[in-house]
Amino acid sequence: MGVRQEIDGGYSCPATNPSMLNVHLVPHTHDDVGWLKTVDQYYYGDRNYIQHAGVQYILDSVIDQLQKDPARRFIYVETAFFYRWWRQQSQDTRRIVTQLVNEGRLEFINGGWCMSDEATTHYSAVIDQMTLGLRFLNDTFGECGRPRVAWHIDPFGHAREHASIFAQMGYDGFFFGRLDYQDKARRMKTKEMEMLWRASESLTPPLADLFTGVLPNGYNPPEGFCWDQSCNDAPIRDDPDLEDYNVDEIVQRFLNAAFYKTNHIIMTMGSDFQYENANLWYKNMDKLIKYVNALQAKGSKVNVLYSTPSCYLQELNLANLTWPLKTDDFFPYADDAHDFWTGYFTSRPALKLYERLSNSRLQTCNQLEVLGGPKSTSGPFGEGDSDTMSKAMGVAQHHDAVSGTEKQHVAYDYARRLATGWAHCEVLVRNSLAVLSGSESPRVFCENLNISVCPLTESSQKFSMNVYNPLGRTVSWPVRLPVNGSLYNVTDSNGKAVDSQVGNYVFMSFKHICNIYDMKSSSLLPLLSVRWFYGLSPHISINSKSILVYVFKFLKVNFDDTTGLLSSLTNLETNQTIRLTQNFYWYNASAGNNKESHQTSGAYIFRPNSSDPFVINKTAEIQTVTVSSTVQEVTQWFSPWVSQVVRLYEGHRELELEWTVGPVPIADGLGKEVITRLDTDIESSDYFYTDSNGREVLERRKDYRPTWDLKQTEPIAGNYYPINSRAYIKDDKHQLTVVTDRSQGASSIYNGSLEIMLHRRLLYDDFRGVGEPLSEPGEFFDGLVARGRLLLALTPPKMAADVHRPLAQGMVLQPLLSFQDGTPLANTKLEFSGLQAALPPAVHLLTLSQWDKDSVLIRLEHQYQAKESETHSQPVTVNLQKLFSTLEVLGASEMSLGANQWKEDMNRLQWNTGTKASLPLSLSAKDPSPWEVTLNPMEIRTFLLRVRQL
């Protein structure tokens, strides 16, 4: 482990002058982990006709230049690239790099596998990708490789949950580049570009407090000071005998005013994929420092120095000032009056879903690696690993990946990486399930169940299905399988009949679909073996337009018999009814061929040319109705490219809407942004609520920002916010919550209404760099078909979280189905649980993964906010030694959220806001004993367990 030299109380920080304005030059490069080119193309410098960029040459050149002057500094961010470069270096180069890191001349900032998007990512995947990068840096460089500062210079808006995550990972501060243009103008005027962000209403300050700074030039150098080979700014010509001598001009231009509170300002010296020839940058910065500082002898009060964000942050902390407090977030982001970056909340809906499903599969893979033991990675089905999937998911969190803002060929590459990762995980899962079940019979995973394709179930008369539940509690999960007959017998592992029915599904060329209901998976990781035989009666199918009421134990749904649309929803438990109408619409996307004349909708920007969307159809044709003792469903047809199945399951407290949209037609020359809108009689009064990265919920208000007086210039796009798992509207009596299966954009434009954007197909680029329209070709090159689910829950507001919290977790971590032909052998273990008992309802097992041979990393999370649930918003205690059925826990050490520090060693900088820290909504409880872990609302605790396999 390296030890940095301490200078002036800081880690390797250059000396500053307290009587002068200190300008911290931060040499950096911003290396997108895919955008216009794929990750591989960016690393190797391939396809430079698309964009000149080669990351390997950047790192080669920077390391060479850093050695030439000990005053020089450089920061690096994207561990996915550095990891690849490091593996290719000689031992001599590695020694040099390690020395540079130990001396603070090369500093890692942020340190995740990528610089994640903040609007469309789920917190669990963000934590994983950060952990992946931080672990590599810690394993390679020790404490000197640990980043102190979070650095999100390019993401398009900033989420409060991200700030909370960074704070809990031990970061001292956070800097970003993009800020709404109105907010930025106000902050520059009031010198509030730096603040303390209180990022949780539930966690006790300062646990989720994070010092946050807005960089003055985005992430670019000041105008006229870009000295990269890709730039056209004049170099410093310092020979006075030459005609073009320009030192005085450049120095005077540099001495501009600052909008910051202290005598320290930060200047980002670099940009996208710069420093491929680092000599150009350093040679001119050396001169800039020399000539600006030379003026000090003539009375100048400006001191310029090479620095890093952590050194700059340390100086701000030493100033001991009072900083403004922020408690909301930085969405939505606009860079001009009609340029709201709210389209990407929905862009590439299929990739967004695939990323979310891949996260579920990765958690399953990680868990089974632990529970199956060493044979999981090397067993009867070959060599498997979770690492490939972890890296693919790490790349997918990038702010031009899951965001949907990459070129089409790059989107394909992200999907290919996820598919490759799952192929590696599949082997591991097969091995683990073979160990746990005692059966080495071949096992298949049906990847195309979303389009009702599974060759084994469609061809076999007798097969078994295993259901793996990655949640730590019992779930009820309906299963739909394509089959080749109309009469089936379904039994569970005890030979008990399971409710099922077989019917024709109209949108699948009248395939037979077997619906299995009430598939209860007890606690964590059960193997529920289900067998099919010919023998039961078919379901009831009704083809009729006379639909009125569908009722089960908890819900009643009414349809209008004239329009075929939903008309009301009733919660029979709480005896409450709301008027509910749901339909599909599309906004006509603004079009144009140049930004100067007209801002268009594109991958980033949402700009409808009217505030009134077009209704796709005022009525829905009812194509099929299914009524049985376990499910009632209505198939609605709105147009050749929009349809929906409305489902009500027995025993469930939610209504399911399975929508299918596409191919979106463009023959009329109009780009379309497709929404579904729920209109109710709830008196929401312009308020609505959206989640932040799938965790805490923030209050939104139409045409309003909590921190500045908004001048609203886009009444639709300017009111859109990202949702990752849920959104809701409410009044005193009713709350309608919508749980989603992927990240989307949402808003409430009218009182009592909630709209969610489902799909986008556009004909023009939006001039933000991607250089192509967002028009996904789909399988048949006529446009992408997207399918998804929305879950609707009607409750009193005080009971809502008890329903939507577990619903959302169940949507994120879905059971994994696998299939074996024939009947299980007699010695097959048909049921297994990796937990000794189900976890308490408030507790979520966020992480269970193999750390090394004898250690396991776990994260336990309290999934309720303070005061949102009368039942569950209380401290809850879990005994670490009584968690797992296959592991004996020999020791436990608590770590930071990023798992790169021991909790006891965490020591973050403290900041003053001039106000008393308000108490959280619930008081924190302590651990009753070393093995008993108490979780307070919204708390995540991370432990490294030393274990022995039982």
Side-chain angles (χ1 to χ4, degrees):
M1 178 180 289
V3 179
R4 290 184 182 175
Q5 178 186 5
E6 288 198 26
I7 302 175
D8 294 334
Y11 287 106
S12 304
C13 289
T16 57
N17 192 321
S19 64
M20 293 187 178
L21 174 66
N22 294 276
V23 182
H24 296 249
L25 301 185
V26 177
H28 81 104
T29 179
H30 175 59
D31 297 344
D32 288 304
V33 186
W35 179 37
L36 308 182
K37 306 198 293 188
T38 68
V39 184
D40 293 347
Q41 291 161 2
Y42 272 135
Y43 179 76
Y44 284 108
D46 195 8
R47 299 199 188 185
N48 278 344
Y49 59 86
I50 298 176
Q51 180 185 14
H52 188 98
V55 174
Q56 61 172 335
Y57 308 122
I58 293 171
L59 290 167
D60 289 343
S61 185
V62 165
I63 299 305
D64 174 66
Q65 288 298 313
L66 287 177
Q67 296 174 66
K68 295 183 177 181
D69 185 345
R72 291 176 175 177
R73 298 285 191 273
F74 194 79
I75 64 168
Y76 200 73
V77 176
E78 294 84 7
T79 306
F81 282 133
F82 187 86
Y83 165 84
R84 181 180 294 200
W85 179 84
W86 177 261
R87 294 178 66 193
Q88 297 176 346
Q89 302 312 301
S90 67
Q91 289 301 317
D92 285 344
T93 300
R94 290 186 178 190
R95 278 192 290 270
I96 292 168
V97 172
T98 300
Q99 181 179 349
L100 292 172
V101 172
N102 290 345
E103 295 173 357
R105 294 155 63 189
L106 173 63
E107 184 171 322
F108 295 103
I109 299 292
N110 209 63
W113 205 245
C114 72
M115 185 185 296
S116 60
D117 182 56
E118 297 192 45
T120 64
T121 47
H122 191 267
Y123 72 95
S124 62
V126 172
I127 292 170
D128 281 351
Q129 76 87 11
M130 289 299 299
T131 303
L132 184 65
L134 294 174
R135 184 177 185 185
F136 167 76
L137 294 177
N138 193 56
D139 289 349
T140 307
F141 300 107
E143 178 66 12
C144 290
R146 179 172 66 83
R148 267 69 170 177
V149 171
W151 182 260
H152 270 211
I153 54 178
D154 196 24
F156 332 119
H158 303 281
R160 195 175 74 177
E161 192 60 38
H162 260 73
S164 177
I165 287 171
F166 290 144
Q168 294 176 69
M169 287 183 171
Y171 287 93
D172 285 320
F174 176 40
F175 293 99
F176 64 75
R178 297 186 187 271
L179 176 69
D180 184 278
Y181 74 105
Q182 292 185 45
D183 193 8
K184 184 173 184 177
R186 181 194 70 83
R187 289 183 180 278
M188 291 177 71
K189 185 176 181 180
T190 60
K191 294 193 174 183
E192 292 186 354
M193 294 285 274
E194 291 158 330
M195 70 212 80
L196 187 72
W197 196 351
R198 182 150 292 159
S200 174
E201 297 175 5
S202 298
L203 299 175
T204 305
L207 186 59
D209 289 358
L210 188 67
F211 183 90
T212 300
V214 185
L215 296 168
N217 301 300
Y219 58 89
N220 300 307
E223 187 175 352
F225 295 87
C226 184
W227 292 306
D228 194 72
Q229 64 184 14
S230 63
C231 300
N232 297 314
D233 293 343
I236 296 179
R237 300 185 292 264
D238 55 347
D239 186 340
D241 294 332
L242 295 180
E243 181 181 355
D244 291 336
Y245 178 81
N246 64 356
V247 171
D248 296 340
E249 174 194 346
I250 286 183
V251 167
Q252 285 304 313
R253 195 169 355 121
F254 188 78
L255 300 176
N256 56 358
F259 298 94
Y260 293 80
K261 293 186 62 162
T262 72
N263 63 326
H264 295 269
I265 62 173
I266 186 171
M267 293 289 183
T268 45
M269 304 302 282
S271 192
D272 290 355
F273 297 99
Q274 294 194 357
Y275 286 80
E276 204 169 297
N277 184 350
N279 178 52
L280 300 178
W281 264 112
Y282 283 112
K283 193 164 190 173
N284 283 280
M285 285 189 292
D286 287 347
K287 292 180 180 180
L288 181 67
I289 293 170
K290 174 183 175 182
Y291 291 119
V292 171
N293 290 350
L295 294 179
Q296 294 171 8
K298 299 179 181 180
S300 169
K301 294 295 185 181
V302 176
N303 180 50
V304 187
L305 61 147
Y306 283 115
S307 188
T308 67
S310 59
C311 291
Y312 171 67
L313 185 70
Q314 179 179 272
E315 294 292 345
L316 298 185
N317 186 257
L318 291 172
N320 197 28
L321 297 179
T322 297
W323 304 93
L325 188 69
K326 182 178 178 64
T327 58
D328 59 315
D329 65 0
F330 291 96
F331 286 118
Y333 161 64
D335 58 11
D336 211 338
H338 303 290
D339 306 7
F340 280 86
W341 298 47
T342 54
Y344 80 97
F345 300 162
T346 296
S347 296
R348 302 194 186 278
L351 179 63
K352 281 179 164 63
L353 178 63
Y354 192 36
E355 180 276 333
R356 187 63 53 83
L357 293 174
S358 296
N359 179 45
S360 180
R361 289 171 169 180
L362 175 59
Q363 305 313 316
T364 293
C365 189
N366 286 336
Q367 291 176 9
L368 282 172
E369 182 178 5
V370 172
L371 296 170
K375 290 184 179 178
S376 297
T377 51
S378 181
F381 296 100
E383 305 292 317
D385 68 86
S386 58
D387 189 58
T388 306
M389 187 64 153
S390 293
K391 291 184 173 67
M393 276 295 295
V395 167
Q397 305 316 303
H398 170 59
H399 58 268
D400 284 307
V402 66
S403 59
T405 54
E406 63 280 79
K407 282 186 178 290
Q408 185 64 51
H409 79 102
V410 181
Y412 288 147
D413 185 68
Y414 288 133
R416 179 192 62 79
R417 289 174 181 276
L418 293 173
T420 301
W422 174 238
H424 284 249
C425 266
E426 269 192 352
V427 178
L428 186 155
V429 170
R430 285 190 179 98
N431 286 336
S432 183
L433 292 179
V435 171
L436 298 174
S437 69
S439 170
E440 296 184 4
S441 298
R443 184 183 303 274
V444 299
F445 304 88
C446 291
E447 302 290 338
N448 296 314
L449 284 177
N450 64 317
I451 56 171
S452 296
V453 173
C454 179
L456 188 147
T457 65
E458 292 180 80
S459 62
S460 177
Q461 295 185 5
K462 186 183 296 184
F463 59 91
S464 66
M465 177 178 70
N466 297 103
V467 182
Y468 177 93
N469 170 25
L471 290 171
R473 57 179 173 82
T474 298
V475 296
S476 180
W477 186 261
V479 174
R480 302 167 60 81
L481 299 176
V483 293
N484 64 0
S486 58
L487 299 175
Y488 278 77
N489 180 42
V490 184
T491 58
D492 65 14
S493 56
N494 298 314
K496 182 182 176 181
V498 176
D499 283 337
S500 65
Q501 65 179 32
V502 180
N504 296 326
Y505 192 36
V506 69
F507 294 114
M508 291 301 161
S509 304
F510 294 96
K511 275 192 175 183
H512 291 298
I513 303 295
C514 181
N515 295 280
I516 310 164
Y517 305 105
D518 204 28
M519 294 274 293
K520 284 191 167 52
S521 296
S522 59
S523 68
L524 180 72
L525 328 171
L527 291 168
L528 179 61
S529 180
V530 186
R531 308 171 196 169
W532 279 260
F533 307 94
Y534 285 105
L536 272 182
S537 59
H539 78 307
I540 304 168
S541 182
I542 304 172
N543 289 289
S544 167
K545 293 185 180 178
S546 260
I547 315 125
L548 291 174
V549 182
Y550 293 92
V551 186
F552 267 136
K553 180 179 179 182
F554 298 118
L555 291 179
K556 180 172 77 171
V557 183
N558 281 47
F559 287 79
D560 187 296
D561 59 357
T562 302
T563 65
L565 301 176
L566 288 169
S567 61
S568 70
L569 179 63
T570 299
N571 184 328
L572 298 172
E573 269 190 304
T574 56
N575 194 29
Q576 56 184 149
T577 299
I578 60 168
R579 177 179 60 80
L580 172 63
T581 302
Q582 181 245 356
N583 209 333
F584 295 87
Y585 306 81
W586 58 275
Y587 289 106
N588 185 6
S590 291
N593 287 311
N594 64 81
K595 183 180 185 298
E596 286 67 30
S597 63
H598 196 73
Q599 176 59 56
T600 58
S601 274
Y604 301 91
I605 305 292
F606 171 35
R607 193 190 181 195
N609 67 3
S610 169
S611 296
D612 298 318
F614 293 92
V615 63
I616 290 172
N617 198 328
K618 293 181 180 178
T619 63
E621 178 185 336
I622 305 302
Q623 295 211 328
T624 62
V625 177
T626 299
V627 180
S628 76
S629 61
T630 51
V631 68
Q632 300 181 27
E633 63 181 37
V634 175
T635 302
Q636 299 171 304
W637 188 91
F638 293 86
S639 80
W641 56 280
V642 177
S643 60
Q644 180 172 261
V645 181
V646 181
R647 291 195 185 94
L648 188 60
Y649 292 110
E650 171 62 19
H652 285 233
R653 290 176 169 84
E654 74 280 358
L655 178 68
E656 179 183 297
L657 308 178
E658 185 185 47
W659 52 268
T660 302
V661 175
V664 178
I666 53 173
D668 55 5
L670 302 177
K672 297 175 178 64
E673 323 219 32
V674 184
I675 66 165
T676 187
R677 195 173 74 209
L678 304 159
D679 294 309
T680 75
D681 54 359
I682 293 174
E683 293 293 335
S684 57
S685 305
D686 288 340
Y687 287 89
F688 60 108
Y689 301 81
T690 66
D691 69 295
S692 181
N693 299 126
R695 289 203 86 218
E696 294 199 37
V697 174
L698 280 74
E699 180 182 88
R700 310 297 189 184
R701 183 177 164 192
K702 182 185 173 186
D703 297 333
Y704 177 79
R705 302 292 186 266
T707 44
W708 83 90
D709 293 328
L710 173 69
K711 181 183 178 183
Q712 184 60 276
T713 50
E714 284 290 329
I716 304 299
N719 282 306
Y720 257 67
Y721 291 85
I723 58 174
N724 305 104
S725 62
R726 80 209 77 190
Y728 58 80
I729 53 174
K730 66 177 183 176
D731 55 24
D732 291 341
K733 297 180 180 178
H734 309 298
Q735 178 169 321
L736 180 67
T737 307
V738 180
V739 173
T740 67
D741 61 355
R742 74 199 79 189
S743 294
Q744 294 167 317
S747 188
S748 178
I749 304 298
Y750 308 104
N751 182 40
S753 105
L754 190 62
E755 65 181 61
I756 298 173
M757 188 178 290
L758 305 176
H759 201 350
R760 316 177 73 220
R761 191 177 186 192
L762 309 170
L763 304 180
Y764 296 91
D765 180 45
D766 56 8
F767 314 109
R768 291 307 185 279
V770 75
E772 65 184 33
L774 181 67
S775 181
E776 297 179 270
E779 185 177 3
F780 302 107
F781 300 96
D782 57 350
L784 178 74
V785 178
R787 174 173 291 150
R789 294 189 301 144
L790 302 174
L791 304 181
L792 275 56
L794 173 64
T795 58
K798 66 180 182 180
M799 298 171 59
D802 295 344
V803 176
H804 70 68
R805 286 289 174 188
L807 265 186
Q809 287 291 12
M811 191 75 99
V812 171
L813 291 182
Q814 300 183 11
L816 176 68
L817 309 180
S818 61
F819 303 88
Q820 293 174 302
D821 197 13
T823 305
L825 299 175
N827 61 346
T828 300
K829 188 176 183 180
L830 299 180
E831 199 160 351
F832 164 83
S833 177
L835 289 180
Q836 294 185 28
L839 293 174
V843 178
H844 172 52
L845 181 63
L846 180 60
T847 302
L848 173 62
S849 65
Q850 198 74 37
W851 190 256
D852 55 33
K853 182 175 179 292
D854 300 312
S855 300
V856 167
L857 184 73
I858 72 163
R859 291 187 180 96
L860 294 170
E861 169 192 7
H862 196 305
Q863 62 178 341
Y864 286 84
Q865 287 179 227
K867 286 199 173 178
E868 74 174 355
S869 167
E870 293 180 352
T871 306
H872 301 308
S873 294
Q874 308 293 333
V876 60
T877 300
V878 176
N879 190 316
L880 295 177
Q881 285 190 312
K882 296 180 179 178
L883 272 180
F884 303 108
S885 64
T886 64
L887 301 173
E888 180 185 2
V889 178
L890 305 175
S893 301
E894 189 162 8
M895 307 186 82
S896 65
L897 182 60
N900 66 333
Q901 280 182 284
W902 301 117
K903 184 71 175 288
E904 61 190 22
D905 293 338
M906 292 179 67
N907 184 24
R908 299 172 63 224
L909 297 178
Q910 301 299 305
W911 305 89
N912 180 24
T913 63
T915 59
K916 290 183 179 180
S918 58
L919 288 174
L921 294 174
S922 65
L923 295 176
S924 299
K926 305 298 183 183
D927 295 344
S929 74
W931 293 112
E932 293 176 297
V933 175
T934 297
L935 297 163
N936 296 291
M938 277 291 120
E939 187 175 18
I940 302 173
R941 298 185 65 177
T942 305
F943 295 90
L944 193 62
L945 303 183
R946 189 163 52 87
V947 299
R948 182 173 63 84
Q949 203 87 20
L950 295 176

